[in-house]
């Protein structure tokens, strides 16, 4: 996928010491589709300036405040084409709103927003302004996930009957992350900054997106329990959800940050009437296919015949690709979409796998229903239409 020129990228969040901002910067550089030219890298003005200097950004384009950045960049003839939003959750919607209103495309980290109302408003604003809105549900960037999605869509596993997705981690079980200071200071435990849920939005949102992305279905009813194991935690650190689908399929979603020994154990299994698929994020170059009554087959990146997977792969089979390439894939998709959008062309077909603002709204509907189910003592709840 070639692009006519490097896009000028801005970033909000991602200053020194932050986690995901640097991953976004690597992803943006990997395929040479972007150049970072402006930023508001931290909530702390000094750290924002120091971080910008470390990235050799023009000091005149390092901003202390994102609204000033949106305004100033929109006014420049060489202003940014797109902004990457990599701040804590509560800032996603106001920041995306400011940049969309300034006519700038958005690449935003998940969850889309901290309420369904905010998410719905963002989706309609992005549509009204005709701007690309990429949402970095990174696992949708893996070639073998794209291949699995294409196989399900082509009917290769038959009708989907069971969707089983889990995302266990253990970092909140670390003694340091159980301390009073951590509970008090870390934004992941602060409803004002994380939003009304913890593990659910942090990684449950990824699991939910992946399940829908591959199976091609979203549930219409769910039953959820949200739990906090750690005394002092104000938000859930463990989530278990049952799923019912309109076609009669059933499923389960489990996400936990208290699962001792689990690093980043995102795993999806989809069972159809003809075959089953299994994908594990920690071994992303392979996908297991088991036909009904047959033996498991290991499908590998670079060896499967698949336009969707080939378009998302960079090096030949046997050389591992991983998280950074998957992230880069979403950046590459977004770049192709932005160029097409700016040239008033149709959405390029190979970028249809890019998660967008509508995926974010679907995720927020799920989170809303999960919280409501939990409030009602874990009853079945219909998802909003
Ligand atoms: N897609 C993924 O796989 C993935 C992985 C991790 C985190 N995330 C998401 O990315 C976001 C950031 O997470 P993180 O772990 O990097 O957080 P972090 O706390 O490490 O970094 C947040 C950064 O945002 C900055 N910031 C806060 N307020 C700001 C403001 N007003 N203006 C400019 N900068 C501001 C902070 O100074 C910091 O640099 C979260 O929404 C999280 O859910 C996504």
């Amino acid at each position: 996928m070639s692009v006519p020129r490097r896009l000028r990228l801005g970033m909000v969040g991602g200053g020194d010491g932050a986690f995901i901002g640097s991953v976004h910067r690597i992803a943006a550089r990997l395929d040479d589709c972007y150049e970072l030219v402006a930023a508001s890298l931290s909530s702390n003005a000094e750290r924002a300036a120091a971080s910008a200097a470390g990235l050799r950004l023009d000091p005149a384009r390092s901003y202390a405040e994102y609204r000033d950045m949106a305004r100033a960049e929109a006014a420049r003839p060489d202003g940014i084409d797109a902004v990457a939003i990599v701040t804590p959750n509560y800032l996603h919607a106001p920041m995306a709103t400011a940049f969309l209103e300034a006519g700038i495309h958005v690449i935003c980290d998940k969850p889309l927003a901290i309420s369904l109302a905010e998410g719905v408003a963002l989706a309609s604003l992005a549509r009204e302004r005709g701007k690309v809105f990429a949402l970095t549900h990174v696992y949708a960037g893996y070639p073998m996930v794209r291949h699995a999605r294409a196989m399900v869509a082509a009917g290769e596993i038959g009708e989907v009957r069971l969707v089983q997705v889990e995302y266990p981690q253990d970092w909140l079980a670390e003694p340091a992350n159980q301390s009073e200071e951590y509970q008090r200071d870390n934004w992941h435990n602060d409803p004002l900054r994380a939003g009304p849920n913890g593990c659910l939005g942090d990684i449950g949102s990824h699991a939910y997106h992946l399940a829908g992305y591959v199976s091609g279905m979203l549930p219409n009813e769910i039953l959820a329990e949200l739990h906090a194991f750690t005394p002092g935690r104000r938000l859930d650190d463990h989530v278990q959800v049952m799923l019912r689908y309109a076609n009669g399929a059933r499923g389960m979603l489990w996400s936990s940050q208290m699962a001792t020994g689990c690093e980043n154990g995102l795993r999806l299994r989809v069972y159809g009437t003809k075959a089953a698929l299994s994908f594990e994020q920690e071994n992303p170059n392979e996908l297991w296919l088991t036909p009904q009554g047959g033996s498991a087959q290991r499908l590998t990146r670079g060896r499967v015949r698949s336009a969707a997977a080939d378009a998302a792969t960079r090096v030949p089979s046997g050389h591992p690709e991983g998280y950074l390439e998957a992230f880069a894939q979403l950046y590459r998709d977004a770049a192709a979409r932005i160029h097409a959008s700016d040239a008033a062309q149709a959405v390029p077909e190979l970028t249809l796998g890019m998660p967008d603002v509508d995926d974010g709204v679907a995720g927020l509907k799920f989170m809303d229903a999960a919280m409501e189910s939990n409030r009602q003592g874990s009853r079945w709840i219909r998802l909003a239409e």
Side-chain angles (χ1 to χ4, degrees):
M1 207 185 294
S2 68
V3 289
R5 66 173 174 89
R6 279 194 200 121
L7 292 168
R8 294 180 293 272
L9 181 69
M11 177 169 278
V12 279
D16 291 346
F19 165 40
I20 207 67
S22 58
V23 172
H24 279 249
R25 288 194 290 273
I26 293 168
R29 274 203 302 269
L30 200 68
D31 295 311
D32 210 13
C33 299
Y34 300 85
E35 185 184 359
L36 184 70
V37 294
S40 177
L41 289 166
S42 172
S43 53
N44 172 301
E46 266 173 41
R47 188 175 303 159
S51 305
L55 294 171
R56 292 176 288 280
L57 285 178
D58 175 354
R61 295 178 85 176
S62 163
Y63 302 86
E65 223 277 325
Y66 72 91
R67 289 183 200 85
D68 293 340
M69 173 173 161
R71 225 175 289 118
E73 289 295 320
R76 292 176 69 109
D78 63 348
I80 56 172
D81 299 289
V83 68
I85 299 175
V86 290
T87 54
N89 308 347
Y90 77 109
L91 289 165
H92 295 179
M95 287 178 162
T97 302
F99 284 95
L100 287 173
E101 283 178 343
I104 292 164
H105 301 286
V106 171
I107 300 168
C108 183
D109 221 313
K110 45 51 60 180
L112 175 63
I114 58 168
S115 76
L116 179 55
E118 270 186 351
V120 168
L122 264 185
S124 69
L125 181 62
R127 239 180 292 282
E128 184 192 306
R129 299 294 164 121
K131 293 292 152 195
V132 173
F133 197 118
L135 189 70
T136 48
H137 276 304
V138 52
Y139 308 105
Y142 283 118
M144 297 316 284
V145 166
R146 294 198 170 185
H147 184 60
R149 168 182 159 98
M151 286 181 77
V152 174
E156 291 182 41
I157 68 163
E159 189 177 355
V160 173
R161 269 202 294 241
L162 301 170
V163 179
Q164 195 75 20
V165 66
E166 63 189 50
Y167 198 160
Q169 299 177 328
D170 69 357
W171 62 282
L172 283 182
E174 284 292 317
N177 296 342
Q178 304 237 308
S179 67
E180 255 176 54
E181 293 93 306
Y182 183 89
Q183 305 297 350
R184 190 188 58 228
D185 298 338
N186 191 280
W187 69 260
H188 288 275
N189 190 39
D190 177 0
L192 293 178
R193 290 180 290 166
N197 53 65
C199 175
L200 179 64
D202 224 15
I203 54 173
S205 61
H206 275 312
Y208 184 73
H209 180 263
L210 181 67
Y213 189 81
V214 172
S215 70
M217 308 188 309
L218 295 177
N220 55 5
E221 283 185 305
I222 65 168
L223 179 154
E225 182 181 13
L226 275 54
H227 184 67
F229 280 103
T230 310
R233 260 197 78 75
R234 288 171 281 167
L235 298 170
D236 53 277
D237 52 29
H238 175 90
V239 175
Q240 43 202 37
V241 188
M242 293 206 278
L243 317 166
R244 284 181 183 155
Y245 295 84
N247 73 340
R250 295 291 189 268
M252 283 191 234
L253 179 152
W254 166 50
S255 66
S256 184
Q257 289 161 326
M258 296 294 286
T260 300
C262 294
E263 293 176 2
N264 218 46
L266 175 61
R267 179 182 188 200
L268 173 69
R269 284 169 288 170
V270 182
Y271 300 87
T273 48
K274 292 200 264 183
L277 288 171
S278 174
F279 173 81
E280 291 182 19
Q281 192 284 142
E282 291 183 359
N283 292 307
N285 290 271
E286 65 183 35
L287 171 71
W288 288 87
L289 169 70
T290 310
Q292 174 65 37
S295 305
Q297 298 163 27
R298 181 172 168 264
L299 311 181
T300 53
R301 185 189 55 75
R303 291 280 169 97
V304 288
R305 261 183 242 118
S306 161
D310 287 351
T313 196
R314 285 157 184 76
V315 293
S317 61
H319 298 291
E321 288 189 357
Y323 185 67
L324 296 174
E325 287 87 350
F327 237 110
Q329 187 56 37
L330 302 190
Y331 267 84
R332 192 153 91 180
D333 290 343
R337 286 250 191 134
I338 290 168
H339 287 296
S341 164
D342 289 352
Q345 291 165 352
V347 173
E349 201 179 329
L350 280 175
T351 71
L352 289 175
M354 182 196 86
D356 64 13
V357 72
D358 293 327
D359 295 287
V361 172
L364 290 166
K365 285 180 182 169
F366 166 71
M367 288 186 247
D368 234 32
M371 289 185 292
E372 184 56 27
S373 172
N374 182 63
R375 260 194 299 273
Q376 293 191 24
S378 301
R379 290 183 42 186
W380 284 101
I381 296 285
R382 283 197 80 75
L383 265 73
E385 292 297 318

